[in-house]
Amino acid sequence: MSRRPSRLPLLACVALLAFALAGCGKKSHQPLGMGPARGVAPLSSSGAVSVITSNTARIGGANVAVDAAAVARTVYPGLTAATRPAMVLLVGEQDWPAALAAAAFASAPAHAPLLYSQGNTLPSVTSEALQAMGPKGDVGLGATQLIAIGTKAPTPKSLDTRTLPATDAAATAATIERLLQASAGGSPPKQVIVVPSNAPRALQMPAAGLAAESGAPILYTTGEALPAPTRAVLSQLQHPSIYVLNPRFAGKKSLGELAQLGRVTQISGTAGSEGPAMNAIAVARYTDGNFGWGVKEPGHGLVFLDDQRPLDAPAAALLSSTGDYAPPLLLERPSAVGVSLASYLADIQPAYSASQPQFQAVRGVYNRGWLIGDDRALSTIVQAELDAQLAIAPAQQAIGENSQTEAEGEAETPATQTETNSEQP
């Protein structure tokens, strides 16, 4: 089913962000914890960009810390009480498993943005974003304003901060699941996402948006056996629905153990097509009852990411749970959309009847694209091509007409869904 929540608040925030970026590089010196009337501190001093076309908006900049801050402040400019988050996640850039698992906090009800630290330092863009957003405190977690995971960077003393030490992937994800459950009022999740930690990061990236959209926590397995922390969480959840991404990396033993703990469904492209772009498309298309996007028709937001910047996926997860609820899609080259992605966009391109263009176009449905990062992540040519592919067009033009993207030889294949019999070991 197509979700069509209003995107006006998000677009208004983008406009505010773009205005701030043009603000001559001045920095805000307002203290943390001020009331909702604070201004939006410009990101231009840290290299952020904002380019808006008819059907796309580019936010972010030269690195993942800037990208995360730009996404956070697009959704939460901090100008009113309603545009301040309850809580913010801070994760060290070196801790990929923690960042991916933390993306689940972008889901309802927390809708928490994620920011990055660099080593033992807090980048200025991260500090400015914290100051501008002024988190109010998460009621379910005792008014916690900031959760710092796997980082030794100094955090603002004015914020009520909960610190989680860096541990192995499975243990960190299990801890995050418990906090996520407490934040949601103690109700245990009925659905979980399991990610093989040994899969390439580009293949793990879509899990961030899927967790944000569904509210399902992310847990980890390996190619050998199910880690004890993951098994402990699943044992307490009373036979949940378990969605395994990239199952070919999980191994038969792990899949067998998971099948004893819940109803297991595998999500992936068909054999031989599990490249990052096709894998993300498979996740975007997938639906199982009320789980997943099921994006197979026009009328959606879409997030476009560089598959070489995996940390952008957790940062952008907030766009999967607010505004247009946009699933993440990956580009395997910054300068080309790619045949498989172009074909998918052609399948869901909005169209109107040429016989009644004004009536049909005005009342049609629309796609909207968010591009994360500067033109080294996704080139300006790619943005122009995506803008055209997302635009509503006459029906005969929209069908089968892709952009002039350089062909890369991919062939699109449908997602596969395999349910594992929970009675088998």
Side-chain angles (χ1 to χ4, degrees):
M1 179 180 294
S2 174
R3 296 179 176 84
R4 292 299 297 162
S6 172
R7 68 186 178 213
L8 289 178
L10 269 181
L11 292 180
C13 292
V14 172
L16 286 169
L17 181 60
F19 177 80
L21 292 174
C24 302
K26 295 180 181 178
K27 294 183 179 180
S28 169
H29 297 287
Q30 295 164 325
L32 279 162
M34 277 188 66
R38 64 178 55 77
V40 180
L43 295 173
S44 54
S45 60
S46 301
V49 296
S50 180
V51 179
I52 300 175
T53 67
S54 296
N55 304 292
T56 69
R58 179 193 295 269
I59 55 177
N63 57 64
V64 295
V66 176
D67 293 348
V71 170
R73 294 179 60 188
T74 295
V75 179
Y76 292 113
L79 298 174
T80 65
T83 58
R84 294 169 57 199
M87 178 180 59
V88 177
L89 280 294
L90 178 67
V91 185
E93 285 186 7
Q94 76 286 352
D95 198 340
W96 161 253
L100 185 64
F105 263 105
S107 66
H111 290 302
L114 185 148
L115 300 173
Y116 289 116
S117 66
Q118 295 173 337
N120 295 332
T121 64
L122 200 65
S124 60
V125 70
T126 300
S127 179
E128 290 168 6
L130 277 171
Q131 176 174 302
M133 290 187 293
K136 297 176 290 188
D138 186 284
V139 176
L141 294 176
T144 295
Q145 295 168 286
L146 181 67
I147 296 180
I149 307 173
T151 177
K152 295 182 180 179
T155 56
K157 294 181 179 179
S158 59
L159 295 181
D160 186 326
T161 302
R162 185 175 301 207
T163 302
L164 303 182
T167 57
D168 66 87
T172 298
T175 301
I176 290 172
E177 187 279 329
R178 289 192 292 270
L179 291 176
L180 187 66
Q181 191 174 145
S183 175
S187 177
K190 297 180 180 180
Q191 302 159 331
V192 298
I193 299 166
V194 172
V195 175
S197 58
N198 56 312
R201 291 184 180 181
L203 296 182
Q204 298 181 42
M205 289 171 69
L210 186 59
E213 185 273 342
S214 65
I218 293 173
L219 300 173
Y220 289 107
T221 188
T222 67
E224 299 176 356
L226 197 64
T230 300
R231 185 184 303 108
V233 170
L234 293 174
S235 297
Q236 297 171 0
L237 294 184
Q238 301 178 354
H239 214 75
S241 295
I242 303 171
Y243 298 91
V244 183
L245 271 63
N246 309 304
R248 68 189 177 99
F249 292 95
K252 292 184 178 179
K253 184 175 182 181
S254 285
L255 291 173
E257 291 182 82
L258 287 170
Q260 299 301 313
L261 297 166
R263 180 180 70 90
V264 175
T265 304
Q266 303 176 21
I267 306 175
S268 70
T270 56
S273 65
E274 296 93 340
M278 280 302 304
N279 180 62
I281 292 169
V283 174
R285 280 178 163 163
Y286 180 79
T287 184
D288 179 23
N290 64 354
F291 180 87
W293 281 283
V295 176
K296 303 172 186 178
E297 70 290 310
H300 297 276
L302 303 165
V303 176
F304 296 96
L305 305 170
D306 176 4
D307 75 336
Q308 297 302 305
R309 284 198 193 182
L311 288 168
D312 277 350
L318 196 58
L319 298 173
S320 294
S321 63
T322 57
D324 285 318
Y325 285 71
L329 298 172
L330 303 185
L331 280 80
E332 298 178 21
R333 295 172 57 190
S335 59
V337 173
V339 171
S340 57
L341 180 54
S343 178
Y344 174 60
L345 295 178
D347 286 345
I348 63 171
Q349 185 174 16
Y352 61 85
S353 171
S355 62
Q356 292 181 301
Q358 292 181 332
F359 179 86
Q360 295 286 345
V362 170
R363 289 160 180 79
V365 294
Y366 300 91
N367 290 338
R368 180 76 185 176
W370 299 93
L371 282 72
I372 308 301
D374 62 12
D375 61 0
R376 287 170 292 184
L378 303 172
S379 73
T380 53
I381 295 297
V382 160
Q383 183 169 7
E385 292 182 350
L386 290 173
D387 182 79
Q389 292 171 324
L390 297 174
I392 190 168
Q396 65 268 28
Q397 177 181 326
I399 297 173
E401 182 174 299
N402 296 335
S403 73
Q404 297 180 2
T405 303
E406 178 183 344
E408 297 177 4
E410 307 105 315
E412 184 175 353
T413 51
T416 59
Q417 307 172 23
T418 304
E419 185 171 321
T420 303
N421 188 339
S422 59
E423 300 301 321
Q424 296 177 353

